[in-house]
Amino acid sequence: LQSGYVGQTSGRVNEAIDKARGGVLFLDEAHQMADSGGHNFQREILNTLLPRLENERGQFLCVLGGYTSSLPAVLALDQGMPSRFPEHYRVLLANYDAETLSAIFLGMAAEAGKTLTPEAEHRMRQLMRLLRRWALPAFANARGAREFLSACIANQVARTGADPASDPAQLIEGDILLPRAATSQTPEAALADAEAKLSALVGQPRLGEVISRLRGNLLLWRAELEEGADVAPPLEHILLQGSPGTGKTTVARIMGSL
């Protein structure tokens, strides 16, 4: 709805409402109204929307959809907003648990014409528990499950392309890998990359021993999470001491990627 210029936004809002008459106006990503280019755009949207919500009752139904953390700020933008969207019609859609996300994954896989071997399904459920319980807050529930499936299908396509005799409709355990992280690497590749960088640091014989212990603890931590642990084993903290220029900051950054 937001135009590139103040003064044009109201026209877009009115056009959307006109199209919705006799039906539903769904404003998706409505949380963006709380930071949609500044106060002038917010005010223009609200000054257009609120009178029509009041004056055209029964002519259309307005539904706002947005993030839980931001929608209260949208309702606070104007004193007329809370009464237009009363408490008894505010619905919180809860996060899906790992079992539901696994069912969503399997349903999407079936729609894509894919089946999973028992080993592949077991691995998918392990990693789904890991994603649901410990992933970043940005993990996007059903969309996250779709991205997970897409990554697995991409792995399968690469595998079957190299082996034409394999079943193109079946995902095997080796295909089930977590989606690429923000670094554009799989967790496995990021781990190998960090270890390679650390091993390339010369003149620090003690470092390899510490990294080996850290890696073992991290793998144990991940395994327990994949099996559904609610509390991960505690990781011990690390002290890096040395004179200026000995690589403390470099080592800390690489350890962080681990």
Side-chain angles (χ1 to χ4, degrees), residues 142-189:
R143 185 166 68 246
R146 183 174 65 247
E147 292 170 352
F148 185 11
L149 173 62
S150 296
C152 295
I153 292 177
N155 296 332
Q156 182 223 23
V157 169
R159 173 179 58 82
T160 55
D163 180 14
S166 56
D167 185 351
Q170 188 173 69
L171 297 172
I172 65 173
E173 184 177 9
D175 300 326
I176 310 299
L177 298 173
L178 289 174
R180 293 182 182 275
T183 58
S184 297
Q185 291 179 302
T186 64
E188 292 77 12

Side-chain angles (χ1 to χ4, degrees), residues 217-231:
N217 287 339
L218 287 171
L219 291 175
L220 173 64
W221 181 83
R222 175 170 167 170
E224 294 200 16
L225 296 181
E226 289 174 356
E227 291 302 324
D230 287 329
V231 179

Side-chain angles (χ1 to χ4, degrees), residues 33-54:
M33 279 201 293
D35 57 357
S36 61
H39 177 77
N40 289 334
F41 290 109
Q42 297 166 356
R43 179 52 49 194
E44 194 171 358
I45 291 172
L46 294 176
N47 284 348
T48 308
L49 176 64
L50 290 177
R52 295 196 64 173
L53 288 176
E54 179 64 27

Side-chain angles (χ1 to χ4, degrees), residues 1-9 12 41:
L1 298 178
Q2 179 181 322
S3 174
Y5 301 95
V6 174
Q8 294 181 348
T9 296
R12 292 188 177 186
F41 290 109

